[in-house]
Amino acid sequence: MGSASPRDHLMKLLEPVVSAEGLDLEDITVTQAGKRRLLRVIVDRDGGVSLDDVADVSQAVSAALDDDDAMGQAAYTLEVSSPGVDRPLTEPRHWRRAAKRLVKAEMRDGTVVEGRILAADEAGVDLDVEGAARRLDYEDLTRGRVQVEFRRIDDVDGDEG
């Protein structure tokens, strides 16, 4: 295995397994949980992840781990889930998947821009900032975060009970 960390080994092992299920492997963490270890596998894709997707990926990941013995002989718990709303937006696909959402974008110059995502491509993201479109290139961004909204812009007026 050389100088590769256990996490790097798991990422390399599981990325093609997750990809074969039509999803992106976003992250892997291994933490101690009492006497067991917890292996958390975060997956996502355009359009979101269903419970059936999670079940299918969980079975495929479990089989790959058994075949590779990457987790060793000690007991562990496998948890497969999609990223939460608090996941930082760091990749073009993260920004694209957050279309129409309100975000705070942290810029490399230390400023923060808040706006709603209009569109995102491989070079940058277009935000509606106070009614005006603003283009942010990824090279100028450090990361973004979706802001929690209790009433989204696409909610229909008059639907209030």
Side-chain angles (χ1 to χ4, degrees):
M1 195 148 74
S3 63
S5 73
R7 181 186 179 279
D8 292 341
H9 177 72
L10 286 167
M11 290 289 287
K12 192 173 194 174
L13 171 69
L14 298 180
E15 194 283 326
V17 173
V18 171
S19 183
E21 297 293 328
L23 293 117
D24 296 316
L25 178 60
E26 293 293 340
D27 196 15
I28 291 176
T29 59
V30 180
T31 54
Q32 199 67 36
K35 293 182 180 182
R36 292 179 169 255
R37 291 169 295 158
L38 173 62
L39 171 59
R40 187 170 284 132
V41 178
I42 309 296
V43 298
D44 202 6
R45 78 161 149 216
D46 290 358
V49 179
S50 72
L51 290 176
D52 287 339
D53 296 330
V54 168
D56 293 344
V57 169
S58 188
Q59 288 178 343
V61 164
S62 182
L65 291 170
D66 290 346
D67 290 346
D68 185 80
D69 199 32
M71 292 298 290
Q73 298 302 314
Y76 69 93
T77 301
L78 172 62
E79 178 184 292
V80 177
S81 65
S82 60
V85 69
D86 60 344
R87 179 248 328 249
L89 307 175
T90 57
E91 300 287 332
R93 68 178 180 264
H94 300 160
W95 291 92
R96 185 180 68 246
R97 290 174 182 157
K100 298 182 182 178
R101 303 293 302 268
L102 183 65
V103 297
K104 275 191 181 178
E106 297 175 17
M107 308 300 291
R108 293 203 187 283
D109 67 6
T111 61
V112 176
V113 177
E114 186 170 340
R116 192 165 303 279
I117 298 176
L118 299 171
D121 56 32
E122 292 304 309
V125 60
D126 297 319
L127 296 183
D128 177 344
V129 180
E130 297 178 3
R134 180 168 173 193
R135 176 73 174 184
L136 303 177
D137 293 327
Y138 294 130
E139 64 190 27
D140 298 328
L141 288 166
T142 58
R143 68 179 180 174
R145 286 219 185 261
V146 171
Q147 300 302 292
V148 175
E149 296 180 271
F150 293 105
R151 182 160 186 236
R152 295 209 10 198
I153 195 167
D154 55 355
D155 287 346
V156 178
D157 286 341
D159 236 7
E160 299 166 34

